Amino acid sequence: MINQIFTKHTHLFFEWCGKVKDGFVTVFLIVVYHWYDGLCYLISNMFSYVKAFLIMFLILFTLSLIFVYLHGFLEKKYSWDMLGLQQLNELKYDNKIPNHRIFKRLLKQMMLKGYWWIYFIGALIVGPPIVTILLRREKSLSQNLLYIIPGTLLSVVFWVSIWTGVGIVTWNQFVKPFLLNRLG
């Protein structure tokens, strides 16, 4: 009897710890994505397009390698899929998604659309490291680079172009005077 109560409460405790851990990962990713966007805006407007592209490629490529390695390490050492991407992969085989779960049904449709749909849209929205972890067939360095390098190129061309365009409107009018007043 006591063993059953202990087992039940232990299970609930570890389930709660898993949710807290996932919450920390989510908050961390949100901060990193905003930091990256701000850095991309800054670099895109401080340097020429080619230099900004090269700098952001090196930054995103390095971050992607670190993130993919960290995910693999945590998965291997602690059996923790910190992004829950295995669940997403399994979603395409789930035939019992209730009608009211619209987001899950949309994700399933995206997963069924195939590789190219996920690769191009994913590289722009969530970035090359997540797309790499989601789509790779094996966890080797060459397989990771096969996804990271083109995904990084695609993402950097898109975002440096976007932030350069935004910067044309805002950089000289708002940001540069603010920085000169604060720093100078």
Side-chain angles (χ1 to χ4, degrees), residues 26-175:
T26 302
V27 169
F28 175 75
L29 285 177
I30 289 170
V31 168
V32 168
Y33 279 120
H34 284 300
W35 172 81
Y36 176 79
D37 277 343
L39 183 64
C40 191
Y41 172 81
L42 195 65
I43 299 292
S44 297
N45 291 289
M46 288 180 71
F47 298 99
S48 69
Y49 186 80
V50 174
K51 283 183 184 177
F53 172 81
L54 291 173
I55 292 168
M56 290 312 298
F57 178 84
L58 289 173
I59 291 170
L60 185 57
F61 179 75
T62 305
L63 287 173
S64 297
L65 283 177
I66 291 169
F67 194 75
V68 169
Y69 174 76
L70 177 65
H71 186 273
F73 173 77
L74 292 173
E75 197 171 43
K76 182 178 177 184
K77 182 92 171 164
Y78 301 107
S79 300
W80 177 38
D81 179 16
M82 71 180 188
L83 299 172
L85 294 177
Q86 188 59 36
Q87 280 181 315
L88 191 58
N89 267 333
E90 294 168 1
L91 189 62
K92 57 184 157 184
Y93 305 113
D94 188 0
N95 293 324
K96 297 180 181 176
I97 301 173
N99 288 336
H100 70 279
R101 304 295 297 226
I102 296 170
F103 187 68
K104 253 189 175 176
R105 294 171 88 64
L106 178 65
L107 284 174
K108 178 181 178 175
Q109 287 303 314
M110 281 181 45
M111 294 301 292
L112 290 173
K113 286 288 184 190
Y115 169 82
W116 294 106
W117 173 260
I118 296 168
Y119 191 76
F120 285 116
I121 300 299
L124 299 178
I125 295 173
V126 294
I130 295 175
V131 172
T132 299
I133 295 166
L134 184 63
L135 295 177
R136 67 184 175 187
R137 305 235 188 298
E138 54 189 66
K139 297 175 182 174
S140 66
L141 178 63
S142 61
Q143 183 77 200
N144 290 338
L145 291 177
L146 180 68
Y147 289 99
I148 290 175
I149 292 172
T152 302
L153 285 170
L154 179 65
S155 184
V156 168
V157 164
F158 180 79
W159 287 110
V160 168
S161 299
I162 292 291
W163 288 121
T164 300
V166 169
I168 290 171
V169 175
T170 62
W171 184 258
N172 287 330
Q173 188 175 3
F174 300 110
V175 178

